[in-house]
């Protein structure tokens, strides 16, 4: 008889322990063990939180090199079944070899689960017949994961409720309870104040402070003081929650007929001259043109598709110099300037900021981070087994994404969802904007180095999104290159890996609806192509999501700065606005309250937050990937220090790309 030592590492997650009987079978190249009950003197307390439990198993002869293990569990008689979350199982063979089997998922029910030894294997490396069988069985169970939520939108995860999601991607107990508590406490506060059902206009702009007088951030306080300022208006398009719309303007759009005589450029020459110098920038909300606006509280809402010119002044401020609120020029569509009356100009900026709310929430935030992250994750689960190096590299960046998106579809964008009921672009307009945004999306716009170049934003000063984002992209790119080049030495090996190819084919078909105009790869022909795409995936799920999500309450917590909706038509002539018309245009009290409550929820970090570069789950067991992870963490720490040092001298710190503050995945 030969002895195998089994070491089970249990998770510290709340409710991750089990009192069920746990059974294991070892499978090696030279045979397999009997199904063995893992028991010791601790009895039902064997698998408690954070415990490392040791067991001995005996086999008639050596099993050879271990390939996989089979795990299952059964409840004790008269005891309920429970779910179990082990971290990993290590097995010491009679030859003295230590094998590690990463688990890191909930084990529910009584079915048998197969887990592979932790060494990463590409499909053509997996030569053992039982290894191939385990690989095929794992993927076979996940063939039917796609679901069409709405025609013309990226496909999503097929799930009737959160409990039907794959066990490795569901919320922890802590995350689930905190999410519910944050949502319910915000709504309860609004109900106590009588705001959630109040369909009246605001009679005093200062009364908006009462919505969440206790929920403030340093930046939301700053916004409340400076939201009327032109310099702050321009600043938000560099470092607010939508920093990827602005582009350098080398020629005016034909439908935006601003002339040199119309604008005054502080401390500079004429418009055409400044345009040639690269100092004029454009915001164009053309994707909102003609969108059917919502009806809220029985009142028609208004959503414009503005055009905005901004000027970089000699003192490096970005100042708005002209605003046209609709795409089609005409007598009823005046161009507004800072020289107009106070409320004409302020109202024009408010309509722009309200349009930005819809553009940001639907295109930049929902589509380009949440929905794409879900596509990347579902394709990974369908096509790439746990033992594959790509799975090990990307699975940390899928944490909680599928469940948070399921909840978003149920509570935000469903027929009764908050966005559908209370946003100007809710309902029919929402689907129109999402379809247009997907049709116009390009691969290059998802890769920040290409995107910055295409928008001509390489040299504009004080663009911290760009500065931090490019550094973060390069750090991720070096890490991804190191890991993938360890496993793929030649382009032929990439081309040969059918699981990699199926992953990208699924993304192209189900995420980008087979639209070749997007430039999304349909296959990988080289190591460099693979490295760039995987870098984009990790950057999208971490840095980009943080940049467009984390500041939502900072910049939207003072509603007039980012109105969720507006309920009077935009002015068609100048000189007709006042403080009274502004208050009548702002959303009703309940609409304001619901919007601010949602932004608070979506900006709230949970206590089990995992920062970029932190890997609580050890999916990689080999020496080289493990060293690359340490190097990656070191580079991220240096970047964080650089960002924190810079922020000390800024009036408005830019923190959304600080690696210590951005999450590893789309988890909120």
């Amino acid at each position: 008889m030969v002895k195998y030592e089994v070491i089970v590492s249990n998770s510290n997650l709340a409710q991750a322990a089990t009192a069920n009987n746990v059974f294991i079978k070892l499978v090696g190249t030279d045979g397999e063990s009997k199904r063995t009950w893992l028991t010791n003197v601790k009895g039902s307390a064997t698998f408690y939180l954070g415990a490392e439990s040791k067991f001995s198993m005996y086999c008639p002869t050596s099993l050879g090199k271990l390939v996989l293990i089979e795990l299952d569990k059964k409840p004790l008689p008269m005891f309920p079944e429970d779910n179990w979350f082990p971290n990993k199982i290590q097995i010491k063979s009679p030859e003295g070899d230590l094998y590690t089997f990463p688990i890191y998922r909930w084990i529910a029910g009584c079915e048998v689960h197969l887990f592979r030894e932790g060494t990463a294997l590409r499909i053509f490396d997996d030569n053992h017949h039982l290894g191939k069988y385990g690989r095929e069985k794992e993927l076979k169970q996940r063939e039917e994961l796609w679901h069409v939520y709405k025609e013309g939108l990226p496909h999503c995860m097929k799930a009737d409720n959160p409990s039907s999601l794959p066990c490795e991607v569901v919320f922890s107990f802590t995350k689930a309870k905190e999410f519910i508590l944050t949502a319910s406490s915000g709504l309860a506060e609004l109900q106590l104040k009588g705001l959630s059902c109040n369909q009246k206009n605001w009679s005093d702009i200062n009364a908006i402070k009462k919505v969440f007088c206790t929920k403030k951030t340093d930046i939301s306080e700053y916004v409340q003081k400076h939201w009327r300022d032109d310099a702050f208006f321009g600043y938000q398009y560099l470092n607010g929650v939508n920093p990827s719309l602005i582009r350098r303007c080398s020629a005016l759009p034909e439908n935006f007929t601003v002339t040199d005589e119309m604008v005054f450029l502080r401390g500079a020459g004429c418009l055409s001259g400044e345009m040639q110098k690269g100092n004029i920038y454009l915001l164009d909300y053309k994707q909102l043109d003609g969108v059917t606006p919502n009806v809220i509280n029985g009142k028609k809402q208004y959503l414009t598709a503005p055009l905005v010119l901004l000027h970089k002044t000699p003192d490096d401020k970005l100042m708005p110099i002209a605003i046209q609120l609709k795409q089609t020029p005409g007598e009823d569509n005046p161009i507004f300037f800072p020289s107009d009356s106070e409320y004409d100009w302020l109202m024009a900026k408010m309509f722009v900021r309200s349009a930005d709310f819809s553009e940001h929430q639907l295109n930049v935030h929902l589509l380009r981070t949440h929905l794409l992250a879900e596509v990347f994750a579902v394709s990974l689960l369908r096509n790439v087994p746990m033992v594959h190096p790509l799975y090990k590299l990307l699975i940390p960046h899928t944490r909680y994404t599928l469940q948070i998106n399921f909840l978003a579809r149920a509570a935000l964008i469903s027929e009764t969802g908050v966005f559908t009921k209370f946003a100007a672009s809710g309902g029919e307009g929402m689907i129109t904007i999402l379809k247009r945004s997907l049709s116009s999306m390009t691969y290059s716009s998802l890769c920040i180095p290409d995107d910055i170049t295409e928008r001509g934003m390489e040299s504009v000063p004080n663009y911290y999104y760009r500065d931090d984002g490019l550094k973060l992209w390069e750090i991720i790119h070096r890490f991804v290159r190191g890991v993938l080049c360890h496993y793929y030495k030649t382009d032929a090996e990439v081309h040969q890996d059918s699981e990699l190819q199926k992953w990208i084919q699924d993304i192209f078909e189900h995420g980008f609806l087979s639209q070749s105009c997007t430039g999304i790869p349909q296959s990988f022909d080289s190591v460099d192509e693979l490295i760039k795409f995987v870098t984009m995936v990790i950057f999208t799920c971490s840095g980009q999501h943080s940049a467009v999500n984390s500041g939502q309450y900072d910049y939207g917590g003072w509603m007039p700065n980012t109105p969720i909706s507006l309920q009077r038509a935009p002015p068609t002539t100048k000189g007709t606005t006042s403080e009274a018309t502004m208050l009548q245009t702002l959303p009703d009290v309940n609409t304001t309250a619901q919007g601010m409550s949602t932004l608070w929820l979506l900006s709230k970090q949970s206590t089990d937050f995992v920062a970029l570069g932190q890997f609580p789950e050890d999916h990689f067991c080999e020496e080289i990937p493990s060293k690359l992870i340490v190097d990656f963490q070191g580079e991220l720490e240096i970047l964080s220090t650089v960002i924190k040092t810079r922020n000390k001298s800024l009036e408005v710190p830019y923190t959304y790309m600080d690696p210590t503050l951005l999450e590893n995945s789309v988890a909120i």
Side-chain angles (χ1 to χ4, degrees), residues 150 291-295 362 412-415 417-434:
K150 295 283 185 182
V291 169
T292 303
N294 208 351
V295 175
L362 295 175
L412 293 180
I413 61 174
S414 64
E415 289 186 6
V418 173
F419 195 95
T420 304
K421 291 175 64 177
F422 294 106
S425 53
E428 179 186 336
M430 172 180 65
I431 303 303
T432 301
I433 294 169
L434 285 170

Side-chain angles (χ1 to χ4, degrees), residues 147-437:
H147 172 67
V148 179
Y149 176 68
K150 295 283 185 182
E151 290 293 339
L153 303 187
H155 300 167
C156 64
M157 179 76 200
K158 184 178 182 180
D160 296 326
N161 52 64
S163 63
S164 64
L165 292 167
C167 51
E168 67 266 49
V169 298
V170 297
F171 281 3
S172 67
F173 176 81
T174 302
K175 172 75 173 181
K177 294 304 179 187
E178 283 186 1
F179 191 84
I180 293 170
L181 179 62
T182 302
S184 57
S185 63
L187 292 174
E189 184 176 343
L190 298 178
Q191 289 170 351
L192 285 172
K193 294 177 178 178
L195 300 176
S196 59
C197 298
N198 187 339
Q199 299 183 9
K200 296 180 180 179
N201 290 119
W202 292 101
S203 58
D204 176 8
I205 199 162
N206 290 317
I208 299 173
K209 297 176 185 177
K210 299 176 184 177
V211 176
F212 279 142
C213 56
T214 60
K215 292 179 170 61
K216 299 175 182 178
T217 69
D218 290 342
I219 294 180
S220 72
E221 291 279 271
Y222 183 92
V223 170
Q224 185 178 321
K225 294 175 184 176
H226 295 276
W227 70 282
R228 297 171 184 254
D229 299 349
D230 285 358
F232 182 66
F233 177 92
Y235 171 88
Q236 292 183 80
Y237 290 98
L238 297 177
N239 303 307
V241 292
N242 186 8
S244 52
L245 176 69
I246 186 172
R247 60 178 56 242
R248 193 176 63 208
C249 181
S250 55
L252 288 174
E254 292 183 0
N255 59 336
F256 197 16
T257 54
V258 182
T259 65
D260 288 352
E261 296 74 27
M262 290 180 178
V263 295
F264 170 75
L265 304 181
R266 195 179 72 190
C270 63
L271 178 62
S272 55
E274 287 297 283
M275 206 176 298
Q276 290 178 1
K277 293 177 183 177
N279 290 333
I280 302 298
Y281 295 86
L282 176 70
L283 306 172
D284 189 348
Y285 294 89
K286 57 188 175 185
Q287 299 215 102
L288 305 182
D289 189 33
V291 169
T292 303
N294 208 351
V295 175
I296 302 174
N297 296 336
K299 293 178 276 190
K300 179 183 176 182
Q301 305 296 296
Y302 292 88
L303 180 65
T304 60
L307 292 142
V308 184
L309 280 186
L310 301 110
H311 174 230
K312 185 190 79 68
T313 63
D315 57 351
D316 289 340
K317 292 181 179 177
L318 199 62
M319 304 292 283
I321 56 173
I323 295 174
Q324 180 177 294
L325 293 179
K326 292 177 280 190
Q327 290 283 310
T328 305
E331 291 184 4
D332 63 344
N333 186 21
I335 299 176
F336 294 93
F337 304 101
S339 55
D340 292 334
S341 71
E342 176 188 357
Y343 282 99
D344 278 357
W345 183 236
L346 183 60
M347 287 280 284
K349 290 191 293 181
M350 277 177 45
F351 273 95
V352 173
R353 294 297 301 153
S354 184
D356 194 72
F357 175 89
S358 292
E359 167 70 17
H360 162 257
Q361 291 294 354
L362 295 175
N363 178 20
V364 178
H365 184 203
L366 177 60
L367 175 62
R368 288 172 168 263
T369 61
H370 279 262
L371 300 189
L372 289 189
E374 182 168 10
V375 168
F376 303 148
V378 174
S379 184
L380 186 75
L381 295 174
R382 283 189 79 245
N383 299 295
V384 185
M386 284 181 68
V387 75
H388 196 288
L390 183 71
Y391 181 97
K392 294 172 180 289
L393 181 59
L394 289 185
I395 196 64
H397 305 287
T398 69
R399 182 175 183 258
Y400 297 163
T401 298
L402 300 185
Q403 185 160 349
I404 202 68
N405 281 9
F406 179 90
L407 294 174
R409 281 187 286 272
L412 293 180
I413 61 174
S414 64
E415 289 186 6
T416 58
V418 173
F419 195 95
T420 304
K421 291 175 64 177
F422 294 106
S425 53
E428 179 186 336
M430 172 180 65
I431 303 303
T432 301
I433 294 169
L434 285 170
K435 286 180 178 179
R436 289 179 181 178
S437 299

Side-chain angles (χ1 to χ4, degrees), residues 112-179:
V112 175
H113 300 263
L114 273 61
F115 296 99
R116 300 296 304 276
E117 193 273 325
T119 303
L121 295 173
R122 303 163 300 177
I123 187 169
F124 44 79
D125 299 323
D126 218 347
N127 298 319
H128 194 274
H129 70 282
L130 287 175
K132 292 179 180 177
Y133 167 75
R135 206 174 190 110
E136 292 168 1
K137 181 180 179 183
E138 181 183 345
L139 297 181
K140 186 73 174 175
Q141 294 172 336
R142 293 178 171 170
E143 283 182 333
E144 305 298 326
L145 291 186
W146 289 116
H147 172 67
V148 179
Y149 176 68
K150 295 283 185 182
E151 290 293 339
L153 303 187
H155 300 167
C156 64
M157 179 76 200
K158 184 178 182 180
D160 296 326
N161 52 64
S163 63
S164 64
L165 292 167
C167 51
E168 67 266 49
V169 298
V170 297
F171 281 3
S172 67
F173 176 81
T174 302
K175 172 75 173 181
K177 294 304 179 187
E178 283 186 1
F179 191 84

